[in-house]
Amino acid sequence: MHGFANPARFLRIARVLTVPFLVAGLLLTGASLYYGLVYAPPERLQGDSVRILFIHVPAAWLGMAGWSGIAVASFVELVWRHPLAGIGARAAAVPGAFFAFLCLATGSLWGRPAWGTWWVWDGRLTSVLVLLFLYFGYIALAGASAREGGGSRIAAIFGLVGAVNIPIIHYSVLWWNSLHQPPSLTTGGSTMAGPFLWGLMAATLGFTLIFGGVVLARMRAILADVQAEARLRRKAEGA
Amino acid sequence: MREALDHWIFVFASYALGVGGTLALVAWSWIGMKRAERRRDKARGK
């Protein structure tokens, strides 16, 4: 893993992967959303509103995966001082926040026809809202650390501590009474019908590829900024 | 009595938000990356 700690090596790999990730992700997502909108059958109880599944579930997965990535990167940064780990965590924060927001917004749009309400203060919805606020806090903290030229140690500790919310989100529908359904997809199998399951898996893979491409692009941007700052500083000192 | 809602309004709103937001995120990140890399190359004197 330490082999990737070299920014030059990372940049070589990232330059190769960014465009294929984004293009494959956009194509796969576009195809699966078209399927969800046009070909997927209406569900027996939920009718056509079930089509929101193809956006809501990938958004929920990426909102949680984004913070899990931040937590792992923060751990690596704190323990091994991996120079790219902090940059990776910072790069994942904005897309993670976007998908957490998308999960809440599409969940609310799904809740109105399915439950008869836009919002309930139950364990699942509230813990995802907390996740969105954690993202806002992390973005502000990491941005302030970067502007002041200091390390991102405090942001990394925040990233690690915030990870306590991830199992709470996951188990909230089992621990507390909720309008939200329990998990349909587990390691033990799926309770979902085939036409929904395969479309959902394609959409999830597509959105995940987009997420990966966006994180790579944002890491390249942060690295380029750091390199430009360093070069300009050296020039100013030499003048 | 349960009110009859047109589910398609909620479906289209979700898809518009998901597709529009994702495309905006991709474009913003891509443009930001290109701008930062141009700035770095300029600082290098390329």
Side-chain angles (χ1 to χ4, degrees), chain A residues 106-152:
Chain A
T106 54
S108 185
L109 284 163
W110 197 357
R112 183 67 184 89
W115 301 337
T117 181
W118 298 98
W119 183 264
V120 281
W121 289 101
D122 71 358
R124 172 58 66 88
L125 278 71
T126 308
S127 55
V128 176
L129 184 64
V130 168
L131 176 68
L132 181 62
F133 291 152
L134 285 171
Y135 272 119
F136 290 158
Y138 183 87
I139 290 165
L141 208 52
S145 302
R147 270 194 304 278
E148 286 165 17
S152 49

